[in-house]
């Protein structure tokens, strides 16, 4: 055997010994880490499947409840929304809660609908934007059935210049003011909407018509 061959064999033997020593020292840890990675990946995949399955199931139930409502089966729709509020997943319980109140209003149960919207608005666990929307929905229902004070207590804070719901809030408050004979207050609110470039065109058009109506009646002079 040549010296070079002997040296190569010695080097290979040393490398094998070093590799074995490394495995003896770190092998169990590496194996454990690999198992953890596999288990973690399986857990993530399993959770995603479980999450998507629950969300899809709730989405299907919500669609079915909407179909019942659109078919005029209000009692069945409300029952379906109530069930979804109890056992739904993700955002669907809240959506069901809001939609059930809308169906009650469509059914003529305005007081019950206002109560439901007020409860959503008072629930601090719900995002602020949804709570504001519930306040607005209650106020719009109360334009015809409540007083100016009822409407104002719900949407006055929403009429600020920076609030994205200000146009609808001002319109509801303006209608309530006009209904109660507060023509100057109503005119001011409708003029705010009409002059707001950020307001939807249909809102500005309605506001302009109401302003013209109030001025034409002479009640705001």
């Amino acid at each position: 055997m040549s010296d070079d061959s002997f040296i190569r064999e010695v080097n290979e033997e040393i490398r094998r010994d070093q590799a074995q020593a490394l495995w003896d020292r770190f092998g169990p840890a590496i194996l454990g880490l690999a198992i953890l990675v596999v288990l973690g990946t399986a857990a993530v995949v399993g959770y995603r499947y479980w999450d998507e399955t629950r969300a899809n199931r709730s989405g299907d139930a919500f669609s079915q409840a909407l179909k019942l409502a659109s078919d005029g089966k209000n009692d069945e729709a409300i029952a379906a929304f109530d069930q979804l509020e109890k056992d739904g997943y993700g955002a669907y319980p809240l959506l069901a809660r809001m939609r059930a109140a809308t169906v009650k209003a469509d059914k003529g149960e305005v007081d019950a609908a206002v109560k439901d919207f007020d409860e959503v608005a008072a629930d601090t666990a719900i995002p602020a934007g949804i709570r504001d929307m519930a306040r607005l929905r209650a106020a719009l229902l109360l334009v015809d059935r409540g007083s100016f004070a009822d409407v104002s207590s719900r949407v006055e804070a929403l009429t600020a210049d920076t609030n994205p719901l200000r146009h609808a809030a001002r319109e509801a408050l303006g209608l309530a003011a006009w209904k109660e004979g507060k023509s100057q207050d109503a005119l001011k609110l409708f003029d705010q909407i009409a002059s707001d470039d950020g307001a939807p065109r249909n809102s500005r058009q309605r506001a302009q018509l109401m302003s013209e109506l109030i001025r034409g009646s002479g009640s705001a002079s």
Side-chain angles (χ1 to χ4, degrees):
M1 180 182 295
S2 67
D3 291 341
D4 289 341
S5 298
F6 177 75
I7 291 172
R8 279 198 298 272
E9 288 190 14
V10 170
N11 285 338
E12 289 176 2
E13 186 67 26
I14 292 172
R15 283 196 293 270
R16 282 196 295 269
D17 290 344
Q18 288 175 336
Q20 184 63 47
L22 287 172
W23 176 255
D24 291 342
R25 183 175 180 184
F26 299 110
I30 293 173
L31 183 60
L33 180 60
I35 292 172
L36 287 175
V37 170
V38 172
L39 291 176
T41 301
V44 169
V45 172
Y47 174 78
R48 286 178 178 172
Y49 175 77
W50 173 80
D51 184 68
E52 290 176 1
T53 299
R54 292 190 67 188
N56 290 338
R57 189 182 300 120
S58 292
D60 291 342
F62 187 72
S63 296
Q64 291 169 5
L66 288 177
K67 180 67 165 54
L68 290 171
S70 66
D71 290 343
K73 300 177 181 179
N74 292 326
D75 290 335
E76 294 177 45
I78 291 172
F81 285 127
D82 287 345
Q83 187 61 42
L84 186 56
E85 183 182 344
K86 294 174 183 176
D87 58 22
Y89 182 67
Y92 287 105
L94 178 55
L95 291 174
R97 191 174 174 184
M98 292 284 284
R99 190 62 187 177
T102 299
V103 175
K104 289 178 184 178
D106 293 341
K107 191 182 173 187
E109 299 176 0
V110 177
D111 291 340
V114 169
K115 179 176 179 293
D116 288 350
F117 283 129
D118 283 344
E119 288 177 353
V120 172
D123 190 341
T124 56
I126 293 173
I130 303 298
R131 295 170 63 197
D132 286 347
M133 182 63 72
R135 291 187 184 94
L136 178 60
R137 296 298 303 277
L140 289 170
L141 291 173
L142 288 168
V143 167
D144 291 329
R145 297 176 64 94
S147 65
F148 175 79
D150 292 331
V151 176
S152 178
S153 67
R154 290 167 173 82
V155 297
E156 180 68 36
L158 306 183
T159 61
D161 290 339
T162 57
N163 195 296
L165 297 178
R166 64 185 181 278
H167 317 300
R170 288 170 178 171
E171 189 168 4
L173 198 56
L175 290 170
W178 182 58
K179 174 189 168 188
E180 206 160 287
K182 301 177 183 292
S183 299
Q184 287 283 3
D185 293 334
L187 183 60
K188 179 181 177 181
L189 288 160
F190 289 125
D191 282 346
Q192 282 181 315
I193 299 171
S195 62
D196 189 340
D197 292 335
R201 185 173 65 177
N202 57 346
S203 295
R204 295 177 67 186
Q205 289 175 340
R206 287 195 302 270
Q208 288 169 354
L209 287 173
M210 288 301 302
S211 294
E212 292 170 4
L213 176 63
I214 294 171
R215 287 190 172 92
S217 67
S219 58
S221 58

